[in-house]
Amino acid sequence: GAVKLDGKILFSPQNKKPLSKDQRRRIQMIFQDPMASLNPRLTICDLLTEGMVEHGLLSGETREAAATRLLAEVGMNADALWKYPFEFSGGQRQRICIARALSLRPDWVVCDEVVSALDVSVQAQVINLLMDLRKKHGLSYLMIGHDLSVLRHVSHRIAVMYLGHL
């Protein structure tokens, strides 16, 4: 098989070249374990804006203003800007990871077991947030997970993989 974006093959058995900078910007990922995916030495402001700086997406905004806007989109206050990842709960860290993924204005977000490590009440909040953001930004999600009830709630189509085959 192959993975395509806008009709262009990104990955296939024959095409294994690295993604271009634009393709990397357009495809983002939210990982299962937010603490493992956040650099503990960086503040939340730095975590949210380092990709924006690399891709030239600040558009005249300061790093602080961009990070504050991203935090607001995921339901967090600006007082989080100068804190570090260990100072937040798992649900808050996952919201920070979602904000970081949104920072590059992607078209497609891969969500790898995005709520599996969260409490049930927090899972519902994060799933509702993802659905709101999908509508607001016109995002496409590839949700990877084991909980079919969660996947059924957010997905238009579901494919089950067994032993590497759909």
Side-chain angles (χ1 to χ4, degrees):
V3 176
K4 296 180 181 180
L5 180 65
D6 293 335
K8 295 179 183 172
I9 295 176
L10 299 180
F11 302 105
S12 73
Q14 299 79 27
N15 178 18
K16 295 181 182 178
K17 60 184 179 177
L19 297 177
S20 71
K21 188 173 181 177
D22 182 59
Q23 289 169 328
R24 287 193 314 268
R25 183 200 62 77
R26 294 179 63 202
I27 302 169
Q28 291 298 301
M29 184 148 183
I30 304 168
F31 296 94
Q32 177 179 1
D33 183 359
M35 193 58 193
S37 67
L38 297 172
N39 185 335
R41 295 185 179 137
L42 296 180
T43 65
I44 301 309
C45 183
D46 291 335
L47 285 166
L48 294 180
T49 58
E50 67 180 342
M52 296 174 80
V53 170
E54 174 68 25
H55 287 271
L57 297 176
L58 283 176
S59 309
E61 278 183 301
T62 64
R63 289 181 81 153
E64 294 83 9
T68 300
R69 177 179 47 78
L70 289 165
L71 286 172
E73 283 208 60
V74 297
M76 293 183 70
N77 296 324
D79 62 352
L81 283 179
W82 307 113
K83 294 181 180 179
Y84 292 88
F86 70 87
E87 298 180 72
F88 296 95
S89 69
Q92 290 171 318
R93 285 192 293 258
Q94 197 62 291
R95 287 174 182 269
I96 292 164
C97 290
I98 293 168
R100 183 180 58 181
L102 289 178
S103 71
L104 297 183
R105 302 179 199 134
D107 300 318
W108 184 30
V109 180
V110 178
C111 301
D112 181 18
E113 294 275 1
V114 73
V115 295
S116 66
L118 305 175
D119 294 333
V120 174
S121 61
V122 178
Q123 282 183 0
Q125 293 171 6
V126 170
I127 289 297
N128 289 333
L129 172 63
L130 288 170
M131 291 172 55
D132 292 343
L133 292 170
R134 176 178 63 194
K135 197 177 298 181
K136 181 178 179 180
H137 295 286
L139 297 170
S140 294
Y141 293 131
L142 172 63
M143 304 286 289
I144 300 167
H146 293 92
D147 189 342
L148 289 177
S149 63
V150 169
L151 296 174
R152 188 178 306 119
H153 187 69
V154 296
S155 301
H156 298 291
R157 288 182 283 179
I158 294 177
V160 177
M161 185 173 279
Y162 181 70
L163 297 176
H165 298 332
L166 290 180

